[in-house]
C-alpha cells in the first residue's frame, strides 16, 4: 500500500512539475503577447496621430485650393473685362480711322475749293486793276 502511495505521490509530483512547466511556458507566451500588444498599441497611436496630421494637411490644402480657385475666378473675370475693353478700344480706333479718312477727304475737297477761290480772287484782283487802269 505504501508503494502505491509513493507511486501516486511521484505521479502527482511529475504532474505538478508538468503543470508548472506549462504555467511557465504560458506566462512567457503571455509576456510576449503583451509586448506585441504594446507595440501594436504604439503603432495604432502613431497611425492615429499621422491620420490627424494628414486630415489637418488635407483641410489646409482644401482651404488653399478654395482660395486659389477664387483667385483664378477673379483673374478670369479680369481677363474677360480686359478683352472686352480691348475690343471696345479696337472698335473706337477703327471708327477714328474711318473719321480720319472722311476728314482727309473733306480736307482735300476744301483745299481744292480754296485753290479755286484763290485763283478766282487773283483773277478778280487783276480784273480790278485792269478796270482801275482803264478808268
Amino acid at each position: 500500500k505504501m508503494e502505491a502511495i509513493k507511486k501516486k505521490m511521484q505521479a502527482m509530483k511529475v504532474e505538478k512539475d508538468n503543470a508548472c512547466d506549462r504555467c511557465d511556458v504560458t506566462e512567457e507566451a503571455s509576456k510576449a503577447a503583451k509586448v506585441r500588444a504594446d507595440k501594436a498599441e504604439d503603432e495604432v497611436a502613431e497611425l492615429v496621430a499621422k491620420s490627424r496630421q494628414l486630415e489637418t494637411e488635407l483641410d489646409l490644402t482644401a482651404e488653399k485650393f478654395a482660395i486659389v480657385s477664387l483667385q483664378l475666378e477673379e483673374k478670369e473675370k479680369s481677363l474677360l473685362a480686359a478683352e472686352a475693353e480691348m475690343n471696345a478700344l479696337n472698335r473706337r480706333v477703327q471708327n477714328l480711322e474711318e473719321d480720319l479718312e472722311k476728314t482727309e477727304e473733306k480736307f482735300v475737297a476744301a483745299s481744292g475749293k480754296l485753290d479755286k477761290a484763290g485763283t478766282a480772287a487773283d483773277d478778280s484782283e487783276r480784273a480790278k486793276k485792269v478796270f482801275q487802269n482803264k478808268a
Side-chain angles (χ1 to χ4, degrees):
K1 189 153 186 167
M2 200 58 149
E3 198 62 34
I5 292 174
K6 270 187 183 180
K7 265 189 175 179
K8 183 78 171 168
M9 290 279 284
Q10 192 127 23
M12 286 175 80
K13 183 181 182 309
V14 167
E15 200 176 314
K16 180 193 105 172
D17 290 345
N18 286 341
C20 284
D21 289 344
R22 281 195 311 272
C23 183
D24 290 344
V25 168
T26 305
E27 280 181 13
E28 287 302 316
S30 174
K31 285 179 187 174
K34 180 156 178 25
V35 167
R36 285 196 312 274
D38 289 346
K39 278 185 185 176
E41 284 179 11
D42 290 346
E43 285 179 21
V44 167
E46 274 181 45
L47 290 172
V48 166
K50 198 170 200 174
S51 172
R52 284 188 186 129
Q53 180 184 351
L54 288 173
E55 285 175 0
T56 301
E57 288 176 14
L58 176 64
D59 290 344
L60 290 173
T61 302
E63 285 177 25
K64 287 179 186 174
F65 177 73
I67 290 168
V68 169
S69 294
L70 288 174
Q71 289 172 340
L72 175 62
E73 207 173 290
E74 290 300 314
K75 295 287 183 194
E76 287 173 344
K77 286 179 186 175
S78 296
L79 176 63
L80 288 175
E83 286 175 347
E85 186 178 351
M86 191 175 86
N87 290 337
L89 289 171
N90 283 336
R91 283 192 300 276
R92 185 153 184 249
V93 165
Q94 190 175 359
N95 289 337
L96 288 171
E97 286 173 346
E98 289 171 4
D99 288 349
L100 177 63
E101 251 180 70
K102 290 176 187 173
T103 304
E104 285 174 344
E105 288 170 7
K106 288 178 183 177
F107 175 72
V108 168
S111 292
K113 288 179 184 177
L114 180 63
D115 285 346
K116 285 182 184 176
T119 303
D122 289 346
D123 291 347
S124 293
E125 191 63 35
R126 266 188 251 114
K128 177 181 156 191
K129 285 182 182 175
V130 167
F131 287 131
Q132 282 177 349
N133 288 338
K134 285 184 181 179

